[in-house]
Amino acid sequence: MLEKLRVGSMFAGIGGICLGFKQAGFDVVWANELDAAAARTYRSNFSNTVLAEGNIKTISAVIVPDIDVLTAGFPCQAFSTAGKQKGFADPRGNLFFEVARILDTKRPRVVFLENVSNLSEHDGGRTFLVIYNSLAQFGYYVKYKVMDAQKYGDIPQKRERIFLVGFRDFGDCERFKFPEELQLAKGVFDLIDISQRHSDCYYYNETTEYFKSVQAAVKSKSRIYRIGDGGAIRGCTKCPTFVASMGDHFYRVPVIRDDFGIRRLTPAECLTLQGFPKDFTFPSGVSMVDAYKQAGNSVCVPVIKRIAENIRTVLS
């Protein structure tokens, strides 16, 4: 039996990218995450992976084991249209250069990066050019693509992300292809059970912000709703994009009408609509605030798996 290809993961969060690579047959041997609550969730679900918890700036590249693939979903708030788009002027944007630092030392066969789709357009394309040229400087040939979860992961959530895959071997890069689009076969309510009653804390009542607006707008059991920052409520057949700020502002969690009333999606349902399996869970001690933040800050796992499978095919 061939030895599994080894993966190291930076800015791992709760492990969405790691899970996709693991499902594709890779061995995730090392990961790094700064946020203590996310690290708790990660450890609970990846007991065999060495997790270096802490600021990546303080972690020496020497402690990273030899790996075939380095993955990084480096912080995207600095580039997102939902934020202030400060880019490299934002300390979170500068964290890309920590990826470059690890690459410079470890030189894995493949580097895999994920970020918001706006990365390619930020600052007139100059931000993306810096990243692309940095990878080229270390000898990587790069392909990239913006992919939507509903088109490439068979997950009914609108979630566009850009993926960059760099290979040290030109022939490997030439052979690699991103997955083709899929026909979406799953609807939101194929994944969410509206006949199950949940804790009262998820249901809207007279004391809940936007209660009257929600009561007036959320009529259908076959649609999922988003409350905008101005209070406007829109119903959709596909789940709107999850955001990390769901943890700080519960009204940003999508809303549905089930058989018992009107409620927010639960954190576990948010994971389901990110393509996580049922056995991936939040451990005790992770608050509801942190659980929503972690779900919103993660990735669509089936999209990662499909890309990882194509990477594995090339490396094999």
Side-chain angles (χ1 to χ4, degrees):
M1 184 175 178
L2 292 176
E3 185 176 347
K4 287 186 177 181
L5 295 162
R6 291 159 60 89
V7 174
S9 179
M10 300 174 64
F11 315 107
I14 61 174
I17 291 176
C18 295
L19 183 58
F21 272 83
K22 183 178 179 181
Q23 290 177 347
F26 290 79
D27 186 12
V28 183
V29 297
W30 180 89
N32 160 253
E33 173 54 39
L34 170 64
D35 184 84
R40 189 176 302 122
T41 301
Y42 188 99
R43 284 196 180 95
S44 178
N45 292 280
F46 294 90
S47 58
N48 295 325
T49 299
V50 175
L51 179 66
E53 182 179 343
N55 190 334
I56 188 62
K57 293 182 178 180
T58 68
I59 295 175
S60 170
V62 174
I63 75 164
V64 181
D66 290 337
I67 52 177
D68 299 289
V69 182
L70 178 68
T71 72
F74 57 101
C76 62
Q77 296 94 327
F79 311 110
S80 173
T81 55
K84 296 182 179 179
Q85 299 193 60
K86 290 184 177 180
F88 291 135
D90 187 319
R92 295 169 298 184
N94 283 326
L95 288 173
F96 165 74
F97 297 109
E98 296 302 313
V99 178
R101 177 174 64 86
I102 302 299
L103 281 178
D104 190 23
T105 300
K106 303 308 299 184
R107 301 296 173 107
R109 294 173 67 183
V110 180
V111 56
F112 172 94
L113 303 180
E114 177 267 347
N115 212 283
V116 291
S117 59
N118 189 57
L119 178 67
S120 60
E121 301 172 3
H122 180 266
D123 194 20
R126 286 182 284 273
T127 298
F128 184 79
L129 188 61
V130 169
I131 292 171
Y132 190 96
N133 287 344
S134 295
L135 298 178
Q137 174 187 345
F138 297 122
Y140 289 93
Y141 302 94
V142 179
K143 289 183 177 178
Y144 59 92
K145 186 171 185 176
V146 174
M147 303 172 73
D148 189 339
Q150 61 186 329
K151 295 179 180 178
Y152 293 93
D154 192 21
I155 291 293
Q157 180 196 166
K158 179 176 175 55
R159 190 176 193 84
E160 290 187 336
R161 291 294 184 266
I162 190 168
F163 299 96
L164 296 87
V165 183
F167 295 85
R168 286 187 55 78
D169 182 85
F170 178 75
D172 287 346
C173 187
E174 284 286 284
R175 287 189 295 275
F176 172 77
K177 297 185 185 301
F178 281 100
E180 298 294 328
E181 286 191 19
L182 297 169
Q183 184 69 38
L184 181 64
K186 299 173 185 173
V188 170
F189 297 98
D190 293 320
L191 301 176
I192 303 300
D193 182 5
I194 64 171
S195 68
Q196 179 183 0
R197 182 171 179 83
H198 291 272
S199 170
D200 287 346
C201 67
Y202 298 110
Y203 288 87
Y204 276 77
N205 57 48
E206 290 84 353
T207 66
T208 312
E209 186 179 14
Y210 297 120
F211 171 70
K212 289 184 178 179
S213 298
V214 166
Q215 282 285 93
V218 180
K219 298 296 187 182
S220 173
K221 289 184 179 179
S222 62
R223 297 178 76 81
I224 186 166
Y225 296 81
R226 161 153 283 175
I227 303 172
D229 287 342
I233 302 173
R234 181 183 174 211
C236 310
T237 56
K238 311 281 177 54
C239 182
T241 305
F242 292 131
V243 291
S245 60
M246 292 190 305
D248 298 315
H249 307 282
F250 286 163
Y251 74 86
R252 291 178 180 169
V253 181
V255 175
I256 62 171
R257 178 182 284 276
D258 69 13
D259 292 346
F260 308 94
I262 298 171
R263 66 171 176 86
R264 302 189 304 268
L265 294 179
T266 69
E269 288 172 331
C270 292
L271 284 186
T272 297
L273 285 166
Q274 290 277 43
F276 283 77
K278 294 295 184 184
D279 61 358
F280 192 104
T281 58
F282 295 106
S284 60
V286 171
S287 69
M288 185 186 297
V289 168
D290 284 325
Y292 277 125
K293 177 182 176 182
Q294 290 169 20
N297 206 33
S298 194
V299 296
C300 180
V301 175
V303 176
I304 305 297
K305 178 187 176 183
R306 294 187 70 211
I307 300 172
E309 287 174 337
N310 286 11
I311 292 172
R312 189 188 63 177
T313 298
V314 167
L315 297 185
S316 300

